[in-house]
């Protein structure tokens, strides 16, 4: 029998967090899942409508930079696991608004670490699990892959803030004995991703016959992973990962941006019954992203060998599922690009 546990998930109203919360609520009825989220622009309770009335789900509308409110939460509840996802997550936004990234991603993480330390001491039955990114490792040339031993070399304000938070998590392990674990994952895609990231932005633009802004030459490479595969990896690491360890998670699925965009355009043409090539005509090559990392690729052998995790979705299947979701949820897309989101969207994308 599985013991009852209190799990605090931060950032559970966002893209990855909402898939994780739904997974945990459904798979572990013995656990109570507390979703702590400030509902910033990418956080959306619509993403959680399936679980909102479940007995083992609670929502806490709190900002991780608000230490006083966090103290109240930790005074009221004892947590067994903390899975920390809340963050500012978009590289382009970090180039425009770097300070908020340091504030939320570094200070917010330290607030949680400190309260976990005060609540748990060195209790090895507990886990502080930090969800991090492969971007902390910097940029690869044509060959090689990132693994758990790759030195850190972050190059955007986003990745620098995530690298700083990883360092703080390890500092709390080494200094205070806090039971931590970290994973660094590659690019996720899937339903409910805010349409600022490449795939949902381009789906939305194709639907609205708007230009598809490809940065630079389009030859930059990313390693794409379907969000449900990431969620399965998080579940494995939460339950089987070793305290103090890091796990790299990737899709073994490298695409140049331009090849991915052409695949997306072809699938969109078919699904929208447009002429073959209609969506590709929307492609526009634009100025490159400042400091644009050339290539990311992950060697996932450690999690595969030690914990038995492996991704199950092929990219073509995952992309098809993703497009189908956006087509079936046009109201969601409409809601997150209008109303209170309109100004954010206009500021970020007035040149796109
Ligand atoms: P997202 O932007 O969709 O979600 C972030 C969530 O954090 C939102 O619900 C938002 O409201 C919440 N949030 C932001 N600031 C907050 C604050 N101050 N207090 C409380 N909540 C706050 O991001 P995502 O893509 O789901 O990423 C989640 C985590 O996974 C991030 O830590 C990110 O660095 C990491 N990650 C993302 C990817 C990816 O490809 N998307 C890959 C690897 C790691
Ligand atoms: O690698 C993991 C990271 O992946 C996560 O930590 C980040 O939270 C997540 O946002 C993502 O970062 P990227 O910068 O790789 O993702 P994005 O979707 O913004 O861009 C993917 C690639 O597409 C990148 O090379 C830049 C390019 N791009 C992006 C946008 C938004 C374009 O060419 N045009 C665009 O309009």
């Amino acid at each position: 029998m599985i013991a009852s546990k209190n799990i605090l998930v931060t950032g559970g109203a966002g893209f990855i967090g909402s898939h994780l919360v739904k997974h945990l609520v459904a798979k572990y009825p013995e656990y109570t899942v507390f979703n702590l989220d400030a509902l910033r622009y990418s956080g959306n309770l619509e993403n959680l409508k399936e679980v909102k009335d479940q007995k083992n789900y609670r929502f806490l509308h709190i900002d991780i930079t608000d230490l006083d409110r966090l103290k109240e939460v930790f005074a009221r509840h004892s947590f067994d696991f903390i899975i920390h996802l809340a963050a500012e997550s978009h590289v382009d936004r970090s180039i425009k608004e770097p300070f908020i990234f340091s504030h939320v991603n570094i200070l917010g993480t330290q607030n949680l670490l400190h309260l976990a330390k005060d609540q748990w001491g060195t209790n090895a039955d507990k886990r502080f699990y930090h969800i991090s990114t492969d971007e902390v490792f910097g940029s690869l040339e044509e060959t090689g892959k990132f693994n758990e031993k790759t030195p850190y070399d972050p190059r955007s304000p986003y990745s620098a803030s995530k690298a700083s938070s990883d360092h703080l998590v390890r500092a709390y392990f080494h200094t205070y004995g806090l039971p931590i674990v970290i994973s660094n994952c590659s690019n996720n895609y899937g339903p409910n991703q805010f349409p600022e990231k490449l795939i949902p932005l381009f789906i939305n633009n194709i639907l609205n016959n708007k230009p598809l802004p490809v940065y630079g030459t389009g030859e930059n490479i990313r390693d794409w992973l379907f969000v449900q595969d990431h969620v399965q990896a998080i579940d494995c690491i939460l339950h089987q990962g070793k305290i103090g360890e890091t796990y790299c998670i990737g899709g073994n699925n490298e695409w140049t941006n331009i090849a991915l965009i052409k695949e997306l355009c072809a699938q969109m043409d078919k699904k929208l019954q447009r002429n073959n090539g209609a969506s590709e005509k929307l492609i526009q090559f634009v100025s490159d992203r400042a400091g644009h990392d050339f290539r990311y690729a992950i060697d996932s052998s450690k999690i595969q060998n030690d914990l038995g995790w492996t991704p199950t979705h092929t990219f073509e299947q995952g992309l098809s599922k993703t497009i189908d979701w956006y087509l079936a949820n046009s109201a969601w897309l409409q809601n997150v690009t209008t109303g209170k989101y309109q100004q954010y969207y206009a500021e970020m994308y007035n040149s796109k």
Side-chain angles (χ1 to χ4, degrees):
M1 204 178 97
I2 299 177
S4 71
K5 290 192 188 303
N6 281 344
I7 308 195
L8 178 67
V9 176
T10 70
F15 165 48
I16 301 170
S18 61
H19 287 278
L20 176 66
V21 165
K22 285 184 276 196
H23 168 86
L24 294 171
V25 167
K27 185 169 172 194
Y28 300 105
E30 313 79 2
Y31 293 0
T32 301
V33 180
F34 294 80
N35 167 21
L36 186 153
D37 198 296
L39 297 182
R40 299 193 42 100
Y41 72 92
S42 63
N44 188 346
L45 290 180
E46 263 299 289
N47 297 346
L48 293 156
K49 56 182 188 308
E50 296 89 338
V51 294
K52 76 177 174 34
D53 297 323
Q54 296 295 316
K55 278 208 309 278
N56 63 334
Y57 170 73
R58 311 257 179 91
F59 177 60
L60 303 168
H61 188 194
I62 291 173
D63 190 316
I64 57 168
T65 65
D66 186 342
L67 186 56
D68 291 337
R69 297 277 324 272
L70 284 181
K71 278 184 182 162
E72 287 168 21
V73 170
F74 278 74
R76 213 173 310 130
H77 305 287
S78 296
F79 298 111
D80 297 288
F81 300 151
I82 297 172
I83 314 179
H84 175 38
L85 295 95
E88 288 287 343
S89 66
H90 187 38
V91 174
D92 290 334
R93 185 167 139 76
S94 83
I95 296 167
K96 282 199 162 183
E97 304 271 352
F99 282 95
I100 184 77
F101 281 71
S102 311
H103 187 63
V104 172
N105 297 357
I106 305 175
L107 183 69
T109 301
Q110 186 165 17
N111 285 342
L112 291 161
L113 284 165
H114 213 76
L115 292 170
K117 168 187 94 61
D118 288 349
Q119 188 171 91
W120 298 343
T122 58
N123 186 339
D125 292 333
K126 309 289 182 180
R127 283 297 176 284
F128 187 102
Y129 180 179
H130 186 225
I131 305 298
S132 191
T133 169
D134 59 356
E135 299 200 10
V136 299
F137 300 124
S139 182
L140 293 164
E141 300 296 332
E142 304 282 351
T143 56
K145 290 189 175 198
F146 300 133
N147 65 35
E148 291 77 9
K149 296 199 164 58
T150 306
Y152 276 35
D153 182 23
R155 295 145 58 99
S156 72
Y158 164 69
S159 53
S161 69
K162 291 296 291 187
S164 308
S165 53
D166 285 4
H167 289 321
L168 276 167
V169 175
R170 288 197 187 93
Y172 272 70
F173 168 65
H174 290 293
T175 308
Y176 305 111
L178 186 73
I180 65 100
V181 65
I182 298 177
S183 58
N184 297 89
C185 187
S186 64
N187 286 63
N188 284 218
Y189 70 99
N192 302 97
Q193 188 170 30
F194 192 79
E196 61 184 352
K197 312 280 165 59
L198 180 72
I199 291 177
L201 175 72
F202 278 31
I203 293 174
N204 191 35
N205 285 11
I206 292 171
L207 285 171
N208 292 294
N209 276 310
K210 283 173 65 181
L212 306 177
V214 179
Y215 298 158
T217 60
E219 292 303 322
N220 300 64
I221 293 169
R222 297 289 181 269
D223 175 357
W224 294 91
L225 181 70
F226 192 59
V227 63
Q228 295 289 357
D229 283 324
H230 189 188
V231 164
Q232 291 295 344
I234 293 172
D235 188 333
C236 267
I237 292 168
L238 180 71
H239 291 99
Q240 303 169 52
K242 272 178 61 185
I243 290 177
E245 296 277 322
T246 294
Y247 297 87
C248 282
I249 309 169
N252 198 20
N253 176 43
E254 292 181 53
W255 287 74
T256 63
N257 290 339
I258 194 66
L260 181 159
I261 291 160
K262 287 184 175 170
E263 169 69 25
L264 175 68
C265 287
Q267 287 205 20
M268 289 291 284
D269 283 346
K270 270 203 198 126
K271 290 178 194 284
L272 295 172
Q273 299 181 326
R274 291 183 179 171
N275 290 337
N276 192 12
S279 300
E280 264 195 38
K281 288 207 181 92
L282 297 169
I283 291 176
Q284 281 186 7
F285 289 91
V286 299
S287 315
D288 209 353
R289 172 185 276 176
H292 196 174
D293 288 338
F294 173 62
R295 174 170 168 258
Y296 305 144
I298 286 272
D299 173 356
S300 307
S301 339
K302 178 173 171 182
I303 179 172
Q304 300 210 14
N305 296 337
D306 292 5
L307 308 185
W309 170 85
T310 185
T312 57
H313 290 81
T314 68
F315 187 63
E316 288 77 359
Q317 279 167 352
L319 189 62
S320 174
K321 267 195 187 178
T322 304
I323 298 171
D324 289 345
W325 186 85
Y326 282 95
L327 295 181
N329 289 276
S330 51
W332 184 94
L333 205 45
Q334 173 80 2
N335 285 343
V336 304
T337 50
T338 56
K340 68 175 176 167
Y341 300 99
Q342 192 134 32
Q343 189 181 348
Y344 167 77
Y345 220 68
E347 280 166 11
M348 277 303 292
Y349 296 109
N350 55 9
S351 56
K352 291 188 180 180

